[in-house]
Structures are given as C-alpha cells and as structure tokens.
Amino acid sequence: MKISYNWLKQFIKINQKPDEVAELLTNLGLEVEGIDAFVSVPGGLQGVVVGHVLECIPHPNADRLKLTKVDVGEKTHLQIVCGAPNVAVGQKVPVATIGTTLYDAQGKPWEIKKGKIRGEESQGMICAEDELHLGSSHEGIMVLDKTIKIGTPLAEVLGIENDSVFEIGLTPNRADAMSHWGVARDLRAGFLQKNIALELITPSTSSFHVANRALKIDVSVENPELAPRYCGLTINGLKIEDSPTWLQNRLRAIGLSPINNVVDITNYILHELGQPLHAFDASKITGGKVVVKTLPEGTPFVTLDGVQRKLNAEDLMICNAEAPMCIAGVFGGMESGVTKDTTSIFLESAYFNPISIRKTAKRHGLNTDASFRFERGIDPNITEYALMVAAIMIEEIAGGEISSDIVDIYPKKIKDHQVFLSFENTAKLIGEEIPKETIKQILTSLEIKINNVTETGIGITIPAYRNDVTREADVIEEVLRVYGYNKIKTSTKLNASMASVKKVEDYKIQDKVASQLIALGFHEMLNNSLTNETYYKLTQTIQEAHHVKMLNPLSKDLEILRQSMLFGGLESLAFNLNRKIDTIKLFEFGKTYHQYPNNREEHKHLSLLVSGNKTKDNWTSPSQKTTFFYVKGVVASLLQGLGIDTYAENDLKNDIFSEGISIQKGKKLLVAFGIVSKKITKDFGIEEEVFYADFQWDTILLEISETNMKVAPIPKFPKVKRDFALLLDQDVRFGNLKEAAFQTEKELLKEVSLFDVYTGKNLPNGKKSYALSFTLQDENKTLTDKQIDKIMAKLQQKFETEFGASLR
C-alpha cells in the first residue's frame, strides 16, 4: 500500500524527515518496505530556468529557424537556435541549459548538449509545454509572466511537487490503516509516546448543504445482511473535465492515473478516508430507482473492462428498476459510469458485508481498491461523513449542486466492542509492567474509549472500525505496539524445562531421508495444500465425498485441501519440463486431508516424482532414460535405510498408475509406486513418462518405532555365493522367489539378488530366465560343501514345486 508523505501532513502537522517517520511506522506495526521519491514533473525540471529573450533574428541558413540571444542570469548570454513561430524579443521563457535531462513522451531521458544547428551554435533549448510535461501543446514555446526574475529555477515558479511515498506492507488484520487518515491516526499515537502531541485534522463538512431537491433517486435494500448500511445522494449541473493539478498529483504519487474530476474525487476519498465510493450517471438510472439485491444465477453483466460475466446467485448487485449497474463493492458496469457527457450523478457510499464481497471478488477474479477494503472491513460509522466530504469536493471542483437529501439506510447499527482490560494480564503477557497512566494514554490516542477504571483494570469500548481488536489479548497487543517493542527489557534469566523425547522423532527421520534423496540427485519441492477440485475428476480412486472444501476459497484453483500429493507435484514437474529441464527428480514431505462421515483426518506422506533422464549428460557416459527399476531401486534403498528390509510386493491396479507396485508389511501399506497414467499426465501437458512413489509416512514411522535395532559383531567367517539359472513362467516375480528362499533357509541364507533376466530366442513360449545369486554365511564356523549343497538342493526343490521352475 502506498502512502504519500505530503498527504499525511494534511492530517498531522509534522516536519520530521521521511526516514524518521518510516522508522516510527515500522515500530507501530506498519512496516515500511521502501520509500520512493515522487516528482510531479519527470526530472523535477532540474536545470530548467527562466530566461529573457534579448535578440531574435532569422537563422542565416534556415527559413523556419530563429537565432536568439537569451539572458539566463549568468555572466554570458546564451545563443539558442529556436524553431517556435511565437518566439519574440522581450519574452520570459523556460530555458533548458546544457546538461539538463528532459524526458520524451515515452518517459525516456535525453540530455541537452551544446551543438550546431544548420551551422550556428546552440547553447540550450527554449521549451514548449509538452517538452517539459506541463501540457500537451506544441504549437509554440511557453511564454511566462514578465515579472518573474531572470535565472529563477522553473520548478520554483510553477511549484513542482516533490513527495516521498512510503510502501507499507500492510498485514490483513489492519483494515483500519488502509487510508492516509488511518496511518495518520497511528502516527499521532506513536508521536505521543515520544512526547510530541499532535492534533489530528480531518476534513470539515460544515459547508455541506442541500441546494435543492430537484433530483430524487429512490433507494431500496433487499438484502440488508449483505449491505448493512447504504447511503447516497444526487448532484446536478456537473461539468466533467480534468481534475486540478494538485488532485492529479496526489493520485499519481500513489500510483493512480487520473481519469476525470468526479472519478478522481471518489478515488481520492477512498485513499484519504478509506471509504470506497461509486458515482453513477443519474440519467442512466432507469426508473429513478436504485435497488440493492442479488440476481438469478447466470445473469449476464458487462463490467467496466468490457468483459461479460455470469453472475452468481450470491453476488450483491446495485441495480436500477430494470437492470444491474454495478457489482456491489467490487466493480462498476459499462453502461452506468461517469462519462464526459454526464451532468448529474448518484453518489453511493456504503458498508458491505466483508465475506460477501470477498467471495464475489474471488469468484470473478477481480481485485480492486474498493474490494480490497470492503473485504477486510471498513468503518461503518464514516459512511455518511465520507459521502458529505466527497459531495463538497465535487461541488468545488466539478460545479453543480447537491440536489437531494442524503439517503441513509442503516436498519441495524453495528455495535462497538466492549472489553475489560486487566492490568495483571497486561503485565503477564508483555513481560513488564507498563504504568497505568501510559496505558490509558495509549488507548485514548487510538480512539478507544475508556468507560471506567478500577484497581484491577479498565473497561473500554473499541470502535467498530477496529474489527481485529475484539479480545483482551488484542488490546494488550495494541498497547504494546504503540508503547514500543524495543522498550521491553530482555530478561537475564532463562527458564527451561526437561522434555521427554520420543524414540522416533519425525523431523530427524525426515532429515535423514531428505539427505539420502539429495545425495541421489533429488530436489525438495513444497506445494500448496490447497488445490483445484477438477484434478480429482481425472481419477476414480480418490472419492469426491472425502474432499475438505474451503468455505471461502482464495480462487477456483484453491478450492479444496489435497487428498493426494500427486497433482501438486505434477504442477511442479510440468513447470520444470516447460523450462527444458530434462533430468527431474523431486520429493516432498507433506500432508493430505480427508473428510469422513464422523471426522476429518490428516495423513503424512513422502512423495517422489521422477521424469526424463536418470543422470545429466556427461562426456564420460551418455545420458539414460529413467526406468521403472531405477525408481524401484530408490524406493528399496530408502526403506532399507529406515531399517525396513522385509516386505511383500504386489501388483497395483488403479487408474492413477498404468503400471505399479504396492509394498506392504503384513496388511499395512508402506509405499505405492509406478508409472503415472497418461490420461493424468496429458491433462498437465506432460508427454514424458512420469514415475511417482507415495510413501505412507505415518505407517512407516509406526513401523520404525515398533522395530528394535539389533547390534551384532562383524562375522569372522567367510560368505559363500552360489547361483541358479531358472526357467520360469512369465508371471513369476522375483519378490515371490526371494520370499520363498528365505522361508526355506532362515538361518544361513543372508541375501538373494537377481543379476540377469532373459526373454527371447531359444526359450519356450510364456517362459523367461532368471539368474539368481544366493549369499550364505554361518557366523560361528566356516560352511562345508556338504552344507552348501544341501541348502541349494532344498532351494531347488522349493522353486520346482512352488513355481514350476527348472534349472537351465
């Protein structure tokens, strides 16, 4: 949010440097993220001075040019070649001296240099108003008042405005500070703690009067819960034109472009007082009636940007007797706005329901200055006051007369908050006792009314515009931020308590796994827990009934809490693929959220997403595409690192994976991984094959906690390896063979590995060849050939009887 320093000084008379004010604002909780200089004319007319034309003769080498001698208050006069038809002896003119920087129509700078024009030396430039950005005319040079002293900087003559603009990082709770008035209110309280008492000066409405009642517009509010307060009046006899320079400068300083006098005044009041206003062309209010209501679902409406929007049944609209004119508190309509032909207006000032405005703005993807304030909650008690201030300004600047009484529909007054502030709780929360008189002074400076004071505390009334201060703790926070966080002394004593430590600490396990993945070339990602509901239409595995839906979503893309880590990961994957990254390995620790009939549940997950090449291109080895078995190896490596060595593998069949495996320990699912279905990846614009692994982190942590670590000495006796080449049916899995082998020999068999797979020529149909390696070891003695042969024979028999295998 941009706040003009010069504008602030209309409310409080301060002369401190902008840096000092910025520091105080930051200490008050209105963090100043930067200070920008604003000059009402590009370059501030630096180097442009008032000159006096002493001579003006035709250029000897050009018919349309003049050769002039100009006095700019220096010892020597300047010879300047000028092409303006109106230049003449005796004129006072603006002169850009050598070295002056001017700006073209596009804002690009260019420097005045000494040079020759058609053979004659030119030592500067006599300027037209458009060359100085003081107007649009280029018919001739500017001619100034003859009484102005020669050599006077033109910036002093024209009163060029220089301002400092604070960029404030406003937190969402500080709706009261969304205006220059609100910021000035906080500054006054802050200066009071520095023993600088300042008066808060607000615009006067004493000159407000109704000139006639010739233009009456009836108003009705059909949805008072959505529009708790609605005010309006009419002004007739207006002349729509450009705003005066001072008003344009105020708006430009905070980044707004002036439009016309009436619209500029509504924008001015919004940023001055924090009250959004809207001006309707009264001649376009059909039936002479304004109706505040909702309209049927799907009603078309064209907004000011020329876009036709379909209205929601909950969108509050400002209508005339026949049609909608404006989306209340959000955006005006194409047909009802103020134009150069407007002569009368209906001026609206209202307090709309913040939740309703927020939902409407998000539904239509609109974010305006008005909706920004309405959805955070404005002051319901300045609705009429702001309307009167604006009406007075419009009368003064655009002419016309107030031609109706103020309509103020306010059926149920929004009440101020009543809170009791305990001195004891204040000292406890702040950690230091603040004098009671200081607390009362701070509360009063924040316009918080003190009702009564007792030995134990203060009964107070908090104004309605402070909708973020509703509890005692909120009041204490207000006292502390104005008193000054930096004034609170740091304790020299540190208290700590012993805490029991779990056997398995989640964050430590996560760090261990993350380190392992990073060593394998993975990068960690962090996706939003909120996601788009339409993603879940791509699969029937995840049920819509279990969605946790947001009551007030930020946008349609963030409607629900995720039930799967997959879709956010695919967004990140697509982002990287679109930037030509061909080796992508991503992982994420996060939660999924599920709605069940009787409760909601959160489940922890670790997800892996892999696509593209296994490794980056290298001169020593060509890049290779990632394969299913590479991902399987990563999964197995992570499980082994967590101490989970034994588990069952099963085929995974669902519409998320085209091919997949589930890893289970008993009936508990540990990991599901595989190749993501093309139907899903296509929706994200991904053509590459994508591998996804989903670790059930809660289950894995439970499994780790139930497993006791065993420590054993390194065996002294050697290992023995034996191999089998088996002819098997195509549907036999290595995991089944491995499990059967360990069931057959539980003591001496230490490891089973698959080192070759062959399918093709010289094998019967439906068959494949597996080459298995078996590692045997006795920790107490050296194995004999007889023992080894006996074990291998048992394994052969097991494979033959259970799997129909035969040795090749």
Side-chain angles (χ1 to χ4, degrees):
M1 182 182 72
K2 294 183 184 295
I3 293 293
S4 157
Y5 185 42
N6 289 348
W7 203 337
L8 278 179
K9 290 194 281 188
Q10 292 178 198
F11 288 97
I12 48 175
K13 300 301 180 184
I14 51 178
N15 53 19
Q16 282 76 8
K17 293 180 180 179
D19 286 344
E20 295 175 24
V21 175
E23 183 180 358
L24 180 55
L25 285 172
T26 299
N27 291 337
L28 287 165
L30 301 176
E31 183 181 1
V32 176
E33 297 174 340
I35 305 176
D36 297 321
F38 170 78
V39 184
S40 57
V41 173
L45 301 182
Q46 294 294 316
V48 182
V49 298
V50 176
H52 182 213
V53 181
L54 302 175
E55 294 180 12
C56 181
I57 61 174
H59 192 292
N61 303 317
D63 293 339
R64 295 185 179 181
L65 298 179
K66 304 281 180 64
L67 202 60
T68 66
K69 287 279 186 183
V70 183
D71 180 4
V72 293
E74 301 291 336
K75 291 181 180 179
T76 57
H77 299 156
L78 302 180
Q79 178 173 290
I80 298 175
V81 177
C82 180
N86 65 328
V87 63
V89 173
Q91 291 175 335
K92 294 286 181 71
V93 293
V95 178
T97 55
I98 293 170
T100 299
T101 299
L102 297 180
Y103 295 81
D104 64 17
Q106 286 71 44
K108 292 181 180 179
W110 58 284
E111 186 179 338
I112 300 293
K113 296 179 179 179
K114 183 178 180 179
K116 286 189 176 183
I117 300 175
R118 293 291 185 95
E120 294 295 331
E121 190 175 83
S122 185
Q123 299 169 320
M125 186 172 90
I126 303 174
C127 303
E129 64 177 38
D130 66 328
E131 292 165 334
L132 299 176
H133 291 265
L134 296 172
S136 57
S137 174
H138 194 71
E139 294 177 359
I141 59 167
M142 285 183 70
V143 179
L144 305 175
D145 190 324
K146 291 184 177 182
T147 62
I148 302 173
K149 184 180 177 182
I150 297 169
T152 305
L154 189 63
E156 293 181 14
V157 175
L158 300 180
I160 300 303
E161 182 166 359
N162 290 276
D163 197 358
S164 295
V165 181
F166 304 112
E167 183 67 49
I168 294 179
L170 193 68
T171 53
N173 63 307
R174 291 302 308 277
D176 63 296
M178 294 187 297
S179 65
H180 286 77
W181 185 14
V183 173
R185 202 161 39 204
D186 259 24
L187 270 179
R188 182 189 60 167
F191 277 118
L192 193 58
Q193 291 306 301
K194 294 177 177 288
N195 297 317
I196 303 173
L198 298 169
E199 180 187 359
L200 186 63
I201 305 165
T202 55
S204 171
T205 58
S206 60
S207 62
F208 178 87
H209 71 283
V210 178
N212 59 68
R213 292 171 177 80
L215 183 59
K216 183 183 179 185
I217 301 286
D218 294 326
V219 178
S220 67
V221 178
E222 294 185 7
N223 302 83
E225 69 282 358
L226 301 182
R229 188 174 190 183
Y230 191 89
C231 297
L233 56 73
T234 62
I235 304 175
N236 205 352
L238 298 172
K239 184 179 181 182
I240 305 300
E241 55 189 6
D242 289 341
S243 298
T245 303
W246 72 265
L247 178 52
Q248 293 192 37
N249 287 341
R250 283 284 180 266
L251 297 179
R252 287 196 178 104
I254 58 173
L256 296 182
S257 298
I259 299 171
N260 61 52
N261 47 15
V262 170
V263 174
D264 291 351
I265 289 168
T266 61
N267 286 330
Y268 179 86
I269 294 297
L270 181 146
H271 289 277
E272 175 164 274
L273 303 178
Q275 172 66 55
L277 304 172
H278 193 80
F280 299 91
D281 188 325
S283 67
K284 297 174 183 177
I285 301 178
T286 307
K289 188 173 184 179
V290 169
V291 185
V292 184
K293 63 180 181 179
T294 56
L295 295 173
E297 183 81 28
T299 301
F301 179 67
V302 180
T303 46
L304 268 173
D305 54 2
V307 176
Q308 185 181 79
R309 304 176 190 274
K310 299 292 184 182
L311 299 178
N312 184 281
E314 294 182 358
D315 293 338
L316 186 66
M317 302 296 295
I318 311 300
C319 308
N320 57 36
E322 296 178 358
M325 299 187 294
C326 172
I327 302 177
V330 180
F331 210 22
M334 180 67 83
E335 302 299 328
S336 61
V338 174
T339 68
K340 59 183 177 59
D341 299 320
T342 300
T343 58
S344 59
I345 62 168
F346 174 78
L347 189 60
E348 166 198 277
S349 178
Y351 175 86
F352 295 118
N353 183 293
I355 294 174
S356 170
I357 298 300
R358 182 173 177 79
K359 286 183 176 180
T360 295
K362 297 306 175 188
R363 267 194 295 267
H364 296 289
L366 295 169
N367 183 22
T368 61
D369 282 338
S371 68
F372 179 82
R373 285 156 178 78
F374 277 128
E375 65 190 32
R376 284 161 176 77
I378 61 171
D379 184 356
N381 295 321
I382 68 163
T383 308
E384 184 182 27
Y385 169 69
L387 182 66
M388 294 167 71
V389 173
I392 293 169
M393 284 188 68
I394 290 172
E395 277 189 306
E396 292 173 352
I397 294 172
E401 297 177 327
I402 297 172
S403 49
S404 75
D405 291 316
I406 293 177
V407 175
D408 187 2
I409 301 174
Y410 196 11
K412 187 177 180 181
K413 189 173 173 50
I414 296 172
K415 296 181 179 179
D416 296 337
H417 312 298
Q418 303 291 326
V419 175
F420 182 78
L421 177 64
S422 163
F423 293 133
E424 182 182 354
N425 290 341
T426 302
K428 190 184 294 182
L429 277 180
I430 292 176
E432 187 175 303
E433 192 168 326
I434 296 176
K436 296 177 182 179
E437 287 303 315
T438 301
I439 293 175
K440 289 193 287 183
Q441 183 191 57
I442 290 171
L443 294 174
T444 303
S445 68
L446 292 172
E447 298 184 352
I448 295 174
K449 182 182 177 184
I450 296 175
N451 301 325
N452 55 75
V453 182
T454 67
E455 286 295 319
T456 58
I458 309 174
I460 56 179
T461 299
I462 300 164
Y465 67 81
R466 289 309 307 268
N467 51 39
D468 62 319
V469 182
T470 57
R471 307 167 300 163
E472 183 185 41
D474 298 329
V475 179
I476 295 171
E477 183 183 359
E478 289 297 294
V479 170
L480 178 57
R481 74 176 181 85
V482 176
Y483 179 73
Y485 292 101
N486 296 333
K487 290 183 182 178
I488 305 302
K489 296 174 184 176
T490 304
S491 173
T492 55
K493 182 181 177 183
L494 181 65
N495 295 323
S497 57
M498 299 296 292
S500 60
V501 179
K502 295 180 181 178
K503 178 183 174 183
V504 175
E505 292 190 84
D506 187 5
Y507 77 95
K508 288 185 178 179
I509 304 299
Q510 285 191 28
D511 285 348
K512 177 183 176 181
V513 171
S515 298
Q516 187 176 350
L517 285 166
I518 290 167
L520 292 170
F522 280 76
H523 293 86
E524 187 168 9
M525 59 180 169
L526 184 62
N527 291 305
N528 202 328
S529 297
L530 294 167
T531 187
N532 193 325
E533 188 174 10
T534 58
Y535 289 156
Y536 293 87
K537 299 185 187 300
L538 299 171
T539 174
Q540 295 180 354
T541 303
I542 302 170
Q543 297 181 27
E544 185 180 348
H546 295 161
H547 288 338
V548 179
K549 297 187 177 182
M550 296 292 100
L551 293 175
N552 192 17
L554 292 170
S555 72
K556 289 186 177 181
D557 291 334
L558 304 171
E559 290 179 303
I560 62 170
L561 286 167
R562 64 186 176 192
Q563 281 199 68
S564 170
M565 306 280 284
L566 173 62
F567 302 114
L570 288 175
E571 287 179 345
S572 298
L573 186 72
F575 182 88
N576 283 275
L577 285 171
N578 290 337
R579 282 149 185 80
K580 307 302 180 185
I581 299 174
D582 56 8
T583 303
I584 302 176
K585 301 176 184 178
L586 303 172
F587 74 94
E588 179 182 12
F589 288 99
K591 291 181 179 181
T592 58
Y593 307 85
H594 311 267
Q595 175 73 62
Y596 296 112
N598 298 321
N599 67 316
R600 294 190 181 118
E601 292 183 8
E602 296 181 10
H603 300 154
K604 293 179 182 177
H605 294 259
L606 163 63
S607 66
L608 311 182
L609 272 165
V610 184
S611 186
N613 296 329
K614 192 191 310 183
T615 57
K616 293 181 179 180
D617 287 333
N618 190 292
W619 68 273
T620 60
S621 57
S623 60
Q624 296 179 338
K625 285 287 184 183
T626 300
T627 65
F628 181 90
F629 294 102
Y630 169 75
V631 177
K632 183 180 179 182
V634 172
V635 171
S637 174
L638 293 178
L639 291 175
Q640 188 177 28
L642 292 169
I644 302 174
D645 294 316
T646 57
Y647 45 77
E649 296 180 4
N650 299 298
D651 286 334
L652 185 61
K653 296 180 180 179
N654 62 39
D655 59 357
I656 292 178
F657 297 103
S658 56
E659 294 179 47
I661 290 176
S662 67
I663 294 178
Q664 294 177 277
K665 191 76 179 278
K667 294 183 178 180
K668 294 182 288 188
L669 175 66
L670 299 180
V671 189
F673 69 93
I675 303 171
V676 180
S677 165
K678 286 286 185 185
K679 176 187 173 183
I680 293 175
T681 56
K682 183 180 178 181
D683 195 71
F684 288 83
I686 300 172
E687 296 179 0
E688 295 277 343
E689 198 169 47
V690 178
F691 301 92
Y692 172 62
D694 182 17
F695 290 73
Q696 307 295 313
W697 196 249
D698 289 316
T699 307
I700 287 172
L701 290 176
L702 184 63
E703 182 65 27
I704 295 171
S705 66
E706 292 176 350
T707 303
N708 292 318
M709 184 178 290
K710 295 180 181 179
V711 179
I714 298 173
K716 298 178 181 178
F717 300 97
K719 295 178 180 179
V720 177
K721 286 192 175 184
R722 292 290 186 271
D723 300 337
F724 272 162
L726 299 175
L727 189 65
L728 299 158
D729 292 335
Q730 285 282 4
D731 60 350
V732 176
R733 301 172 60 88
F734 167 68
N736 303 130
L737 296 170
K738 183 177 179 180
E739 187 177 357
F742 279 111
Q743 288 175 356
T744 304
E745 179 53 55
K746 297 179 180 178
E747 293 183 7
L748 302 180
L749 182 61
K750 302 301 180 182
E751 188 178 344
V752 180
S753 61
L754 175 67
F755 65 89
D756 187 49
V757 177
Y758 177 72
T759 58
K761 294 181 180 179
N762 303 322
L763 291 182
N765 288 336
K767 296 290 184 177
K768 63 182 176 182
S769 174
Y770 271 4
L772 303 180
S773 177
F774 302 88
T775 302
L776 305 171
Q777 186 179 39
D778 190 330
E779 296 177 2
N780 300 312
K781 60 182 180 181
T782 302
L783 288 170
T784 63
D785 288 341
K786 187 176 179 181
Q787 285 177 297
I788 296 168
D789 292 342
K790 185 178 179 181
I791 292 170
M792 297 306 293
K794 284 166 60 180
L795 291 172
Q796 181 181 344
Q797 185 181 2
K798 178 72 171 179
F799 294 153
E800 289 173 349
T801 55
E802 190 165 329
F803 302 106
S806 60
L807 293 179
R808 289 188 67 195

